[in-house]
Coordinates of all heavy atoms in Angstrom, one line a residue:
M987 N -15.2 -47.8 -151.7 CA -15.3 -46.4 -151.3 C -14.2 -45.6 -151.9 O -13.1 -46.0 -152.0 CB -15.3 -46.3 -149.8 CG -15.4 -44.9 -149.3 SD -15.2 -44.7 -147.5 CE -16.8 -45.3 -146.9
V988 N -14.6 -44.4 -152.4 CA -13.6 -43.5 -153.0 C -13.1 -42.6 -152.0 O -13.9 -41.8 -151.3 CB -14.2 -42.7 -154.2 CG1 -13.2 -41.8 -154.8 CG2 -14.7 -43.7 -155.3
F989 N -11.8 -42.6 -151.7 CA -11.3 -41.8 -150.7 C -10.9 -40.4 -151.2 O -10.8 -39.4 -150.5 CB -10.0 -42.4 -150.1 CG -10.4 -43.6 -149.2 CD1 -10.3 -44.9 -149.8 CD2 -10.8 -43.4 -147.9 CE1 -10.6 -46.0 -149.0 CE2 -11.1 -44.5 -147.2 CZ -11.1 -45.8 -147.7
Y990 N -10.6 -40.3 -152.5 CA -10.3 -39.0 -153.0 C -10.6 -39.1 -154.5 O -10.6 -40.1 -155.2 CB -8.9 -38.6 -152.8 CG -7.9 -39.5 -153.5 CD1 -7.4 -39.2 -154.8 CD2 -7.4 -40.6 -152.9 CE1 -6.5 -40.0 -155.4 CE2 -6.5 -41.5 -153.5 CZ -6.0 -41.2 -154.7 OH -5.2 -42.0 -155.4
N991 N -10.9 -37.9 -155.1 CA -11.1 -37.8 -156.5 C -9.9 -37.3 -157.2 O -9.5 -36.2 -156.9 CB -12.3 -36.8 -156.7 CG -12.6 -36.7 -158.2 OD1 -11.9 -37.1 -159.1 ND2 -13.8 -36.1 -158.4
Q992 N -9.3 -38.1 -158.0 CA -8.0 -37.7 -158.6 C -8.1 -36.5 -159.5 O -7.1 -35.8 -159.6 CB -7.5 -38.9 -159.4 CG -5.9 -39.0 -159.4 CD -5.4 -40.3 -159.8 OE1 -6.2 -41.2 -160.3 NE2 -4.1 -40.5 -159.6
S993 N -9.3 -36.2 -160.0 CA -9.4 -35.1 -160.9 C -9.6 -33.8 -160.1 O -9.4 -32.7 -160.7 CB -10.6 -35.3 -161.9 OG -11.8 -35.3 -161.2
A994 N -9.9 -33.9 -158.9 CA -10.1 -32.7 -158.1 C -8.8 -32.2 -157.6 O -8.0 -32.9 -157.1 CB -11.0 -33.0 -156.8
I995 N -8.6 -30.9 -157.8 CA -7.4 -30.3 -157.4 C -7.7 -29.4 -156.2 O -8.4 -28.5 -156.2 CB -6.8 -29.4 -158.5 CG1 -6.5 -30.2 -159.8 CG2 -5.5 -28.7 -158.0 CD1 -6.1 -29.4 -161.0
R996 N -7.1 -29.9 -155.1 CA -7.3 -29.2 -153.8 C -6.5 -27.9 -153.8 O -5.4 -27.8 -154.3 CB -7.0 -30.0 -152.6 CG -8.1 -30.9 -152.2 CD -7.7 -31.7 -151.0 NE -6.7 -32.7 -151.3 CZ -5.8 -33.1 -150.4 NH1 -5.9 -32.7 -149.1 NH2 -4.9 -34.0 -150.7
K997 N -7.1 -26.9 -153.2 CA -6.4 -25.6 -153.0 C -5.1 -25.8 -152.3 O -5.0 -26.5 -151.3 CB -7.3 -24.6 -152.2 CG -6.8 -23.2 -152.2 CD -7.8 -22.3 -151.5 CE -7.3 -20.9 -151.3 NZ -7.3 -20.2 -152.6
G998 N -4.1 -25.1 -152.8 CA -2.8 -25.2 -152.2 C -1.9 -26.3 -152.7 O -0.8 -26.5 -152.2
M999 N -2.4 -27.1 -153.7 CA -1.6 -28.1 -154.2 C -1.2 -27.9 -155.6 O -2.0 -27.6 -156.5 CB -2.4 -29.5 -154.1 CG -2.6 -29.9 -152.7 SD -3.2 -31.6 -152.6 CE -1.8 -32.5 -153.0
V1000 N 0.1 -28.1 -155.9 CA 0.6 -28.0 -157.2 C 0.3 -29.3 -157.9 O 0.7 -30.4 -157.4 CB 2.1 -27.7 -157.3 CG1 2.6 -27.7 -158.7 CG2 2.4 -26.3 -156.6
P1001 N -0.4 -29.3 -159.1 CA -0.7 -30.6 -159.7 C 0.6 -31.4 -160.0 O 1.6 -30.9 -160.6 CB -1.3 -30.2 -161.0 CG -1.8 -28.8 -160.8 CD -0.9 -28.2 -159.8
K1002 N 0.6 -32.7 -159.6 CA 1.8 -33.5 -159.8 C 2.1 -33.8 -161.3 O 3.2 -34.1 -161.7 CB 1.6 -34.9 -159.2 CG 1.5 -34.9 -157.7 CD 1.5 -36.3 -157.1 CE 1.0 -36.4 -155.7 NZ -0.4 -36.2 -155.5
E1003 N 1.0 -33.6 -162.1 CA 1.2 -33.8 -163.6 C 2.2 -32.8 -164.2 O 2.6 -33.1 -165.3 CB -0.1 -33.7 -164.3 CG -1.1 -34.8 -163.9 CD -1.9 -34.4 -162.7 OE1 -1.6 -33.5 -162.0 OE2 -2.9 -35.1 -162.4
I1004 N 2.4 -31.7 -163.6 CA 3.3 -30.7 -164.2 C 4.7 -31.2 -164.3 O 5.3 -31.6 -163.3 CB 3.2 -29.4 -163.4 CG1 1.8 -28.8 -163.4 CG2 4.2 -28.4 -164.0 CD1 1.7 -27.5 -162.7
Q1005 N 5.2 -31.2 -165.5 CA 6.6 -31.6 -165.8 C 7.4 -30.4 -166.2 O 6.8 -29.3 -166.5 CB 6.7 -32.7 -166.9 CG 5.8 -33.9 -166.6 CD 6.4 -34.7 -165.4 OE1 7.6 -34.9 -165.4 NE2 5.5 -35.2 -164.6
R1006 N 8.7 -30.6 -166.3 CA 9.6 -29.5 -166.7 C 9.2 -28.8 -168.0 O 9.2 -27.6 -168.2 CB 11.0 -30.0 -166.7 CG 12.0 -28.9 -166.9 CD 13.5 -29.4 -167.0 NE 14.4 -28.4 -167.5 CZ 15.0 -27.5 -166.7 NH1 14.8 -27.6 -165.4 NH2 15.7 -26.6 -167.2
E1007 N 8.8 -29.7 -168.9 CA 8.4 -29.2 -170.3 C 7.2 -28.2 -170.2 O 7.1 -27.3 -170.9 CB 8.1 -30.3 -171.2 CG 6.8 -31.1 -170.8 CD 6.7 -32.4 -171.5 OE1 7.4 -33.4 -171.1 OE2 5.9 -32.5 -172.4
H1008 N 6.3 -28.5 -169.2 CA 5.1 -27.6 -169.1 C 5.5 -26.3 -168.6 O 4.9 -25.3 -168.9 CB 4.1 -28.3 -168.2 CG 3.6 -29.6 -168.6 ND1 3.7 -30.8 -167.9 CD2 3.1 -30.0 -169.8 CE1 3.2 -31.8 -168.6 NE2 2.9 -31.4 -169.8
I1009 N 6.5 -26.3 -167.7 CA 7.0 -25.0 -167.1 C 7.6 -24.2 -168.2 O 7.4 -23.0 -168.4 CB 8.0 -25.2 -166.0 CG1 7.3 -26.0 -164.8 CG2 8.6 -23.9 -165.5 CD1 6.2 -25.3 -164.1
V1010 N 8.4 -24.9 -169.1 CA 9.1 -24.2 -170.2 C 8.0 -23.6 -171.1 O 8.1 -22.5 -171.6 CB 10.0 -25.1 -170.9 CG1 10.6 -24.5 -172.2 CG2 11.2 -25.5 -170.0
Q1011 N 7.0 -24.4 -171.4 CA 5.9 -23.9 -172.3 C 5.2 -22.7 -171.7 O 4.9 -21.8 -172.4 CB 4.8 -25.0 -172.4 CG 5.1 -26.0 -173.5 CD 3.9 -27.0 -173.6 OE1 3.8 -27.9 -172.8 NE2 3.1 -26.9 -174.6
A1012 N 5.0 -22.7 -170.4 CA 4.3 -21.6 -169.7 C 5.2 -20.3 -169.8 O 4.6 -19.3 -170.1 CB 4.1 -22.0 -168.2
M1013 N 6.5 -20.5 -169.6 CA 7.3 -19.3 -169.7 C 7.3 -18.8 -171.2 O 7.3 -17.5 -171.4 CB 8.7 -19.7 -169.3 CG 8.8 -19.9 -167.8 SD 10.5 -20.1 -167.1 CE 10.9 -21.7 -167.9
A1014 N 7.3 -19.7 -172.1 CA 7.3 -19.2 -173.5 C 6.0 -18.5 -173.8 O 6.0 -17.5 -174.5 CB 7.4 -20.4 -174.5
Q1015 N 4.9 -18.9 -173.2 CA 3.7 -18.2 -173.4 C 3.7 -16.8 -172.8 O 3.2 -15.9 -173.3 CB 2.5 -19.1 -172.9 CG 1.2 -18.4 -173.1 CD 0.0 -19.3 -173.0 OE1 0.2 -20.5 -172.9 NE2 -1.2 -18.8 -173.0
L1016 N 4.3 -16.8 -171.6 CA 4.4 -15.5 -170.9 C 5.2 -14.5 -171.7 O 5.0 -13.3 -171.6 CB 5.0 -15.7 -169.5 CG 4.0 -16.1 -168.4 CD1 4.8 -16.3 -167.1 CD2 3.0 -15.0 -168.2
D1017 N 6.2 -15.0 -172.4 CA 7.0 -14.1 -173.2 C 6.2 -13.4 -174.2 O 6.6 -12.3 -174.7 CB 8.1 -14.9 -173.9 CG 9.2 -15.3 -172.9 OD1 9.3 -14.8 -171.8 OD2 10.0 -16.2 -173.3
K1018 N 5.1 -14.0 -174.6 CA 4.2 -13.4 -175.7 C 3.1 -12.5 -175.1 O 2.4 -11.8 -175.9 CB 3.6 -14.5 -176.5 CG 4.6 -15.4 -177.2 CD 3.8 -16.5 -177.9 CE 4.7 -17.6 -178.3 NZ 4.0 -18.9 -178.6
V1019 N 2.9 -12.6 -173.8 CA 1.7 -11.9 -173.2 C 2.1 -10.6 -172.6 O 3.0 -10.5 -171.7 CB 1.1 -12.8 -172.2 CG1 -0.1 -12.1 -171.5 CG2 0.6 -14.1 -172.8
I1020 N 1.5 -9.5 -173.1 CA 1.9 -8.2 -172.7 C 1.7 -8.0 -171.2 O 2.5 -7.4 -170.5 CB 1.2 -7.1 -173.5 CG1 1.7 -7.2 -175.0 CG2 1.5 -5.8 -172.9 CD1 0.9 -6.4 -175.9
D1021 N 0.5 -8.4 -170.7 CA 0.2 -8.1 -169.3 C 0.8 -9.0 -168.3 O 0.5 -8.9 -167.1 CB -1.3 -8.0 -169.2 CG -2.0 -9.4 -169.2 OD1 -1.3 -10.4 -169.5 OD2 -3.2 -9.5 -168.8
A1022 N 1.6 -9.9 -168.8 CA 2.2 -10.9 -167.8 C 3.0 -10.1 -166.7 O 3.1 -10.5 -165.6 CB 3.1 -11.9 -168.5
A1023 N 3.6 -9.0 -167.1 CA 4.5 -8.3 -166.2 C 3.6 -7.7 -165.1 O 4.2 -7.2 -164.1 CB 5.3 -7.2 -166.9
N1024 N 2.3 -7.6 -165.2 CA 1.5 -7.0 -164.2 C 1.3 -8.0 -163.0 O 0.8 -7.5 -162.0 CB 0.2 -6.6 -164.8 CG 0.3 -5.4 -165.7 OD1 1.2 -4.6 -165.6 ND2 -0.5 -5.4 -166.7
R1025 N 1.6 -9.2 -163.2 CA 1.4 -10.2 -162.1 C 2.7 -10.1 -161.2 O 3.8 -10.4 -161.6 CB 1.3 -11.6 -162.6 CG 0.1 -11.8 -163.6 CD -1.2 -11.4 -162.9 NE -2.3 -11.8 -163.8 CZ -3.0 -12.9 -163.7 NH1 -2.7 -13.8 -162.8 NH2 -4.0 -13.1 -164.5
K1026 N 2.4 -9.7 -160.0 CA 3.5 -9.5 -159.1 C 4.1 -10.8 -158.5 O 3.3 -11.7 -158.0 CB 3.1 -8.6 -157.9 CG 2.6 -7.3 -158.3 CD 3.8 -6.4 -158.7 CE 3.3 -4.9 -159.0 NZ 4.3 -4.1 -159.5
S1027 N 5.4 -11.0 -158.5 CA 6.0 -12.0 -157.6 C 6.6 -11.1 -156.5 O 7.5 -10.3 -156.8 CB 7.0 -12.9 -158.3 OG 7.9 -12.1 -159.0
R1028 N 6.2 -11.3 -155.3 CA 6.5 -10.3 -154.3 C 8.0 -10.4 -153.9 O 8.6 -9.4 -153.6 CB 5.7 -10.5 -153.0 CG 4.2 -10.1 -153.3 CD 3.5 -10.0 -152.0 NE 2.0 -10.0 -152.3 CZ 1.2 -11.0 -152.1 NH1 1.7 -12.2 -151.7 NH2 -0.1 -11.0 -152.4
S1029 N 8.5 -11.6 -153.8 CA 9.9 -11.7 -153.3 C 10.8 -12.6 -154.0 O 12.0 -12.6 -153.8 CB 9.8 -12.1 -151.8 OG 9.2 -13.4 -151.7
R1030 N 10.2 -13.5 -154.8 CA 11.1 -14.4 -155.5 C 10.8 -14.4 -157.0 O 9.6 -14.2 -157.4 CB 10.8 -15.9 -155.0 CG 11.0 -16.0 -153.5 CD 12.4 -16.5 -153.2 NE 12.7 -16.5 -151.8 CZ 12.5 -17.6 -151.0 NH1 12.0 -18.7 -151.4 NH2 12.8 -17.5 -149.7
C1031 N 11.8 -14.8 -157.8 CA 11.6 -14.9 -159.2 C 12.1 -16.3 -159.7 O 13.1 -16.8 -159.1 CB 12.3 -13.8 -160.0 SG 11.5 -12.2 -160.1
L1032 N 11.4 -16.8 -160.7 CA 11.9 -18.0 -161.4 C 12.8 -17.4 -162.5 O 12.4 -16.6 -163.3 CB 10.7 -18.7 -162.0 CG 11.0 -19.8 -163.1 CD1 12.0 -20.9 -162.6 CD2 9.7 -20.4 -163.6
I1033 N 14.1 -17.9 -162.5 CA 15.0 -17.4 -163.5 C 15.2 -18.4 -164.5 O 15.5 -19.6 -164.2 CB 16.4 -17.1 -162.8 CG1 16.2 -16.3 -161.5 CG2 17.3 -16.3 -163.8 CD1 15.7 -14.9 -161.6
H1034 N 15.1 -18.1 -165.8 CA 15.3 -19.0 -166.9 C 15.9 -18.3 -168.1 O 15.3 -17.3 -168.6 CB 13.9 -19.7 -167.3 CG 14.1 -20.7 -168.3 ND1 14.7 -21.9 -168.1 CD2 13.6 -20.8 -169.6 CE1 14.7 -22.7 -169.2 NE2 14.0 -22.0 -170.1
E1035 N 17.1 -18.7 -168.5 CA 17.8 -18.1 -169.6 C 17.9 -16.6 -169.4 O 17.7 -15.8 -170.3 CB 17.1 -18.5 -170.9 CG 17.2 -20.0 -171.2 CD 16.5 -20.4 -172.5 OE1 15.8 -19.6 -173.0 OE2 16.7 -21.5 -172.9
G1036 N 18.1 -16.2 -168.2 CA 18.3 -14.8 -167.9 C 17.1 -14.0 -167.7 O 17.1 -12.8 -167.4
R1037 N 15.9 -14.6 -167.9 CA 14.7 -13.9 -167.8 C 14.0 -14.2 -166.4 O 14.2 -15.3 -165.9 CB 13.7 -14.3 -168.9 CG 14.2 -13.8 -170.2 CD 13.4 -14.4 -171.3 NE 13.8 -13.9 -172.6 CZ 13.3 -14.3 -173.8 NH1 12.4 -15.2 -173.8 NH2 13.7 -13.7 -174.9
H1038 N 13.2 -13.3 -165.9 CA 12.5 -13.5 -164.6 C 11.1 -13.7 -164.9 O 10.4 -13.0 -165.7 CB 12.7 -12.2 -163.8 CG 14.1 -12.0 -163.3 ND1 14.4 -11.6 -162.1 CD2 15.3 -12.2 -164.0 CE1 15.8 -11.5 -162.0 NE2 16.3 -11.8 -163.1
Y1039 N 10.5 -14.6 -164.1 CA 9.1 -14.9 -164.2 C 8.5 -15.1 -162.8 O 9.1 -15.6 -161.9 CB 8.9 -16.3 -165.0 CG 9.4 -16.3 -166.4 CD1 10.8 -16.7 -166.6 CD2 8.7 -15.9 -167.4 CE1 11.3 -16.7 -167.9 CE2 9.2 -15.9 -168.7 CZ 10.5 -16.3 -168.9 OH 11.0 -16.3 -170.2
P1040 N 7.2 -14.7 -162.7 CA 6.5 -14.9 -161.4 C 6.2 -16.4 -161.2 O 5.5 -17.0 -162.0 CB 5.2 -14.2 -161.5 CG 5.3 -13.3 -162.8 CD 6.3 -14.0 -163.7
P1041 N 6.8 -17.0 -160.2 CA 6.7 -18.5 -160.0 C 5.2 -19.0 -160.0 O 4.9 -20.0 -160.7 CB 7.4 -18.8 -158.7 CG 8.3 -17.6 -158.5 CD 7.6 -16.5 -159.1
R1042 N 4.4 -18.4 -159.3 CA 3.0 -19.0 -159.2 C 2.3 -18.8 -160.5 O 1.5 -19.7 -160.8 CB 2.2 -18.3 -158.0 CG 2.8 -18.8 -156.7 CD 1.7 -18.6 -155.6 NE 1.4 -17.2 -155.3 CZ 0.5 -16.8 -154.5 NH1 -0.2 -17.7 -153.8 NH2 0.3 -15.5 -154.3
L1043 N 2.5 -17.7 -161.2 CA 1.8 -17.6 -162.4 C 2.3 -18.6 -163.5 O 1.5 -19.2 -164.2 CB 2.0 -16.1 -163.0 CG 1.4 -15.8 -164.3 CD1 -0.1 -16.0 -164.3 CD2 1.8 -14.4 -164.8
V1044 N 3.6 -18.9 -163.4 CA 4.1 -19.9 -164.4 C 3.5 -21.3 -164.1 O 3.1 -22.0 -165.0 CB 5.7 -20.0 -164.2 CG1 6.2 -21.2 -165.0 CG2 6.3 -18.7 -164.8
I1045 N 3.4 -21.6 -162.8 CA 2.8 -22.9 -162.4 C 1.3 -23.0 -162.8 O 0.8 -24.0 -163.3 CB 3.0 -23.2 -160.9 CG1 4.5 -23.5 -160.7 CG2 2.2 -24.4 -160.5 CD1 4.8 -23.8 -159.2
A1046 N 0.6 -21.8 -162.6 CA -0.8 -21.8 -163.0 C -1.0 -22.1 -164.5 O -1.8 -22.8 -164.9 CB -1.4 -20.4 -162.6
I1047 N -0.2 -21.4 -165.3 CA -0.3 -21.6 -166.7 C 0.2 -23.0 -167.1 O -0.5 -23.7 -167.9 CB 0.6 -20.6 -167.5 CG1 0.0 -19.2 -167.3 CG2 0.7 -20.9 -169.0 CD1 0.9 -18.1 -167.7
A1048 N 1.2 -23.5 -166.4 CA 1.7 -24.9 -166.7 C 0.7 -25.9 -166.4 O 0.6 -27.0 -167.0 CB 3.0 -25.1 -165.9
S1049 N -0.1 -25.6 -165.4 CA -1.2 -26.6 -165.0 C -2.2 -26.8 -166.1 O -2.7 -27.9 -166.3 CB -1.9 -26.1 -163.7 OG -2.7 -25.0 -164.0
G1050 N -2.4 -25.8 -166.9 CA -3.2 -25.9 -168.1 C -2.7 -26.8 -169.1 O -3.4 -27.7 -169.7
F1051 N -1.4 -26.7 -169.3 CA -0.7 -27.6 -170.3 C -0.7 -29.1 -169.8 O -0.8 -30.0 -170.5 CB 0.7 -27.2 -170.6 CG 0.8 -25.9 -171.3 CD1 1.6 -24.8 -170.8 CD2 0.1 -25.7 -172.5 CE1 1.6 -23.6 -171.5 CE2 0.2 -24.5 -173.2 CZ 1.0 -23.4 -172.7
A1052 N -0.5 -29.2 -168.5 CA -0.3 -30.5 -167.9 C -1.6 -31.3 -167.7 O -1.7 -32.5 -167.8 CB 0.4 -30.4 -166.5
T1053 N -2.7 -30.6 -167.3 CA -3.9 -31.2 -166.9 C -5.1 -30.8 -167.7 O -6.1 -31.5 -167.6 CB -4.3 -30.9 -165.4 OG1 -4.7 -29.5 -165.4 CG2 -3.1 -31.1 -164.5
G1054 N -4.9 -29.8 -168.6 CA -6.0 -29.4 -169.4 C -6.9 -28.4 -168.7 O -7.9 -27.9 -169.2
K1055 N -6.6 -28.2 -167.4 CA -7.4 -27.2 -166.6 C -6.5 -26.2 -165.9 O -5.7 -26.6 -165.0 CB -8.2 -28.0 -165.5 CG -9.2 -27.1 -164.8 CD -9.9 -27.9 -163.7 CE -10.8 -27.0 -162.9 NZ -11.3 -27.7 -161.7
R1056 N -6.5 -25.0 -166.4 CA -5.6 -24.0 -165.9 C -6.1 -23.5 -164.5 O -7.2 -23.1 -164.3 CB -5.5 -22.8 -166.9 CG -4.5 -21.8 -166.4 CD -4.3 -20.7 -167.3 NE -3.7 -21.1 -168.6 CZ -3.3 -20.3 -169.6 NH1 -3.5 -19.0 -169.4 NH2 -2.7 -20.7 -170.6
M1057 N -5.1 -23.5 -163.6 CA -5.4 -23.0 -162.3 C -5.2 -21.5 -162.3 O -4.6 -20.9 -163.2 CB -4.5 -23.6 -161.2 CG -4.7 -25.1 -161.2 SD -3.5 -26.0 -160.1 CE -4.2 -25.5 -158.5
H1058 N -5.6 -20.8 -161.2 CA -5.4 -19.4 -161.0 C -4.2 -19.3 -160.0 O -4.1 -20.1 -159.1 CB -6.6 -18.7 -160.5 CG -6.5 -17.2 -160.5 ND1 -6.0 -16.5 -159.4 CD2 -6.8 -16.3 -161.4 CE1 -6.0 -15.2 -159.7 NE2 -6.5 -15.1 -160.9
P1059 N -3.3 -18.3 -160.2 CA -2.2 -18.2 -159.2 C -2.6 -18.2 -157.8 O -1.9 -18.6 -156.9 CB -1.6 -16.8 -159.6 CG -1.9 -16.7 -161.1 CD -3.3 -17.3 -161.3
S1060 N -3.9 -17.7 -157.5 CA -4.3 -17.6 -156.1 C -4.8 -19.0 -155.6 O -5.2 -19.1 -154.5 CB -5.4 -16.6 -156.0 OG -6.6 -17.0 -156.7
D1061 N -4.8 -20.0 -156.5 CA -5.2 -21.3 -156.1 C -4.1 -22.0 -155.2 O -4.4 -23.0 -154.6 CB -5.5 -22.2 -157.3 CG -6.7 -21.8 -158.0 OD1 -7.6 -21.2 -157.4 OD2 -6.9 -22.2 -159.2
F1062 N -2.9 -21.4 -155.2 CA -1.9 -22.0 -154.5 C -1.8 -21.3 -153.1 O -2.0 -20.1 -153.0 CB -0.5 -21.9 -155.2 CG -0.6 -22.4 -156.6 CD1 -0.3 -21.6 -157.6 CD2 -0.8 -23.7 -156.8 CE1 -0.3 -22.1 -158.9 CE2 -0.9 -24.2 -158.1 CZ -0.6 -23.4 -159.2
S1063 N -1.3 -22.1 -152.1 CA -1.0 -21.5 -150.9 C 0.3 -20.7 -151.0 O 0.8 -20.5 -152.1 CB -0.9 -22.5 -149.8 OG 0.0 -23.5 -150.2
G1064 N 0.9 -20.4 -149.9 CA 2.1 -19.5 -149.9 C 3.1 -19.9 -151.0 O 3.1 -20.9 -151.6
G1065 N 4.0 -18.9 -151.3 CA 4.9 -19.1 -152.4 C 5.9 -20.2 -152.3 O 6.4 -20.8 -153.3
S1066 N 6.1 -20.7 -151.0 CA 7.2 -21.7 -150.9 C 6.9 -23.0 -151.6 O 7.7 -23.7 -152.1 CB 7.5 -22.0 -149.4 OG 6.3 -22.5 -148.8
E1067 N 5.6 -23.4 -151.6 CA 5.2 -24.6 -152.3 C 5.5 -24.5 -153.8 O 6.1 -25.4 -154.4 CB 3.7 -24.9 -152.1 CG 3.4 -26.3 -152.6 CD 1.9 -26.5 -152.9 OE1 1.1 -25.6 -152.7 OE2 1.6 -27.6 -153.3
A1068 N 5.2 -23.4 -154.4 CA 5.4 -23.2 -155.8 C 6.9 -23.2 -156.0 O 7.4 -23.8 -157.0 CB 4.8 -21.9 -156.2
N1069 N 7.6 -22.4 -155.2 CA 9.1 -22.3 -155.4 C 9.8 -23.7 -155.2 O 10.6 -24.0 -156.0 CB 9.7 -21.3 -154.4 CG 9.1 -19.9 -154.6 OD1 8.8 -19.6 -155.7 ND2 9.1 -19.1 -153.6
D1070 N 9.4 -24.4 -154.2 CA 10.0 -25.7 -154.0 C 9.8 -26.6 -155.1 O 10.6 -27.4 -155.5 CB 9.5 -26.3 -152.7 CG 10.0 -25.6 -151.4 OD1 10.9 -24.7 -151.6 OD2 9.5 -25.8 -150.3
F1071 N 8.5 -26.6 -155.6 CA 8.2 -27.4 -156.8 C 9.1 -27.1 -158.0 O 9.6 -28.0 -158.6 CB 6.7 -27.1 -157.1 CG 6.2 -28.0 -158.2 CD1 5.8 -29.3 -158.0 CD2 6.1 -27.5 -159.5 CE1 5.3 -30.1 -159.1 CE2 5.6 -28.3 -160.6 CZ 5.2 -29.6 -160.3
L1072 N 9.3 -25.9 -158.2 CA 10.1 -25.5 -159.4 C 11.6 -25.9 -159.2 O 12.2 -26.3 -160.1 CB 10.0 -24.0 -159.6 CG 8.6 -23.5 -160.1 CD1 8.5 -22.0 -160.0 CD2 8.4 -24.0 -161.6
I1073 N 12.0 -25.8 -158.0 CA 13.4 -26.1 -157.7 C 13.6 -27.6 -157.9 O 14.6 -28.1 -158.4 CB 13.8 -25.7 -156.2 CG1 13.9 -24.2 -156.1 CG2 15.1 -26.4 -155.8 CD1 13.9 -23.7 -154.7
R1074 N 12.6 -28.4 -157.5 CA 12.7 -29.9 -157.7 C 12.7 -30.3 -159.1 O 13.3 -31.3 -159.5 CB 11.5 -30.6 -157.0 CG 11.6 -30.8 -155.5 CD 10.7 -31.9 -155.0 NE 9.3 -31.6 -155.3 CZ 8.5 -30.9 -154.5 NH1 9.0 -30.3 -153.4 NH2 7.2 -30.7 -154.8
L1075 N 12.1 -29.4 -160.0 CA 12.1 -29.7 -161.4 C 13.4 -29.2 -162.0 O 13.6 -29.3 -163.2 CB 10.9 -29.0 -162.1 CG 9.6 -29.7 -161.9 CD1 8.5 -28.9 -162.6 CD2 9.6 -31.1 -162.3
G1076 N 14.3 -28.6 -161.2 CA 15.6 -28.2 -161.7 C 15.7 -26.7 -162.1 O 16.7 -26.3 -162.7
F1077 N 14.7 -25.9 -161.7 CA 14.7 -24.5 -162.1 C 15.4 -23.7 -161.0 O 15.6 -24.2 -159.8 CB 13.3 -24.0 -162.3 CG 12.7 -24.5 -163.6 CD1 11.8 -25.6 -163.6 CD2 13.1 -24.1 -164.8 CE1 11.3 -26.1 -164.7 CE2 12.6 -24.6 -166.0 CZ 11.7 -25.6 -165.9
T1078 N 15.7 -22.5 -161.3 CA 16.4 -21.6 -160.3 C 15.4 -20.6 -159.8 O 14.7 -19.9 -160.6 CB 17.6 -20.9 -161.0 OG1 18.5 -21.9 -161.5 CG2 18.3 -19.9 -160.1
I1079 N 15.4 -20.4 -158.5 CA 14.5 -19.4 -157.8 C 15.5 -18.5 -157.1 O 16.4 -18.9 -156.4 CB 13.6 -20.1 -156.8 CG1 12.6 -21.1 -157.5 CG2 12.8 -19.0 -156.1 CD1 11.6 -20.4 -158.4
K1080 N 15.3 -17.2 -157.3 CA 16.1 -16.2 -156.6 C 15.3 -15.2 -155.9 O 14.2 -14.9 -156.3 CB 17.1 -15.5 -157.6 CG 18.2 -16.4 -158.1 CD 19.2 -15.7 -159.0 CE 20.3 -16.6 -159.4 NZ 21.1 -16.0 -160.4
N1081 N 15.9 -14.7 -154.8 CA 15.2 -13.6 -154.1 C 15.3 -12.4 -155.1 O 16.4 -12.0 -155.5 CB 16.0 -13.2 -152.8 CG 15.7 -14.3 -151.8 OD1 14.7 -14.9 -151.7 ND2 16.7 -14.5 -151.0
C1082 N 14.2 -11.8 -155.4 CA 14.1 -10.7 -156.3 C 12.8 -10.0 -156.2 O 11.8 -10.7 -156.0 CB 14.3 -11.2 -157.7 SG 14.3 -9.9 -159.0
R1083 N 12.8 -8.7 -156.3 CA 11.5 -8.0 -156.2 C 11.1 -7.3 -157.5 O 10.3 -6.3 -157.5 CB 11.6 -7.0 -155.1 CG 11.8 -7.6 -153.7 CD 11.8 -6.6 -152.6 NE 11.6 -7.2 -151.3 CZ 10.5 -7.5 -150.7 NH1 9.4 -7.3 -151.4 NH2 10.4 -8.1 -149.6
C1084 N 11.6 -7.8 -158.6 CA 11.2 -7.2 -159.9 C 9.8 -7.5 -160.3 O 9.3 -6.9 -161.2 CB 12.3 -7.5 -160.9 SG 11.9 -9.1 -161.7
G1085 N 9.2 -8.5 -159.7 CA 7.8 -8.8 -160.1 C 7.8 -9.6 -161.3 O 6.7 -9.7 -162.0
G1086 N 8.9 -10.3 -161.7 CA 8.9 -11.1 -162.9 C 9.0 -10.3 -164.1 O 8.7 -10.8 -165.2
K1087 N 9.5 -9.1 -164.0 CA 9.5 -8.2 -165.2 C 10.9 -8.2 -165.9 O 11.0 -7.8 -167.1 CB 9.2 -6.7 -164.7 CG 7.8 -6.5 -164.3 CD 7.6 -5.1 -163.9 CE 6.1 -4.9 -163.4 NZ 5.9 -3.5 -162.9
K1088 N 11.9 -8.5 -165.2 CA 13.3 -8.4 -165.8 C 13.4 -9.3 -167.0 O 13.1 -10.5 -166.9 CB 14.3 -8.7 -164.7 CG 15.5 -7.8 -164.7 CD 16.5 -8.1 -163.6 CE 16.1 -7.3 -162.3 NZ 17.1 -7.6 -161.2
R1089 N 13.9 -8.8 -168.1 CA 14.1 -9.6 -169.3 C 15.5 -9.4 -169.8 O 16.1 -8.4 -169.6 CB 13.1 -9.2 -170.4 CG 11.7 -9.6 -170.1 CD 11.6 -11.1 -170.2 NE 10.2 -11.6 -170.0 CZ 9.7 -11.9 -168.9 NH1 10.4 -11.9 -167.8 NH2 8.5 -12.4 -168.8
Ligands
LIG2550 ZN1 13.1 -10.7 -160.7

């Protein structure tokens, strides 16, 4: 009996396949995308090399690099899961309301 389908990504779960390099790739991609700044991060920012990024959007893009299937930022539950995930990978999360726009 199959208890779970490993390829199925349940809502609210950050894919375990995402590694630090995928997050870095996602941020590099966001640097090139003009409308990235329109995605709001309401209270927290992922800070990398002095730049601010919306945590959930970064993870959503990183999921594409890690699993081949990009998630949507709204696929995650509250921000804490995304933020905790990034912190575990060694990234910095700060309270900030810039919406991931600060460069
Ligand atoms: Zn910010």
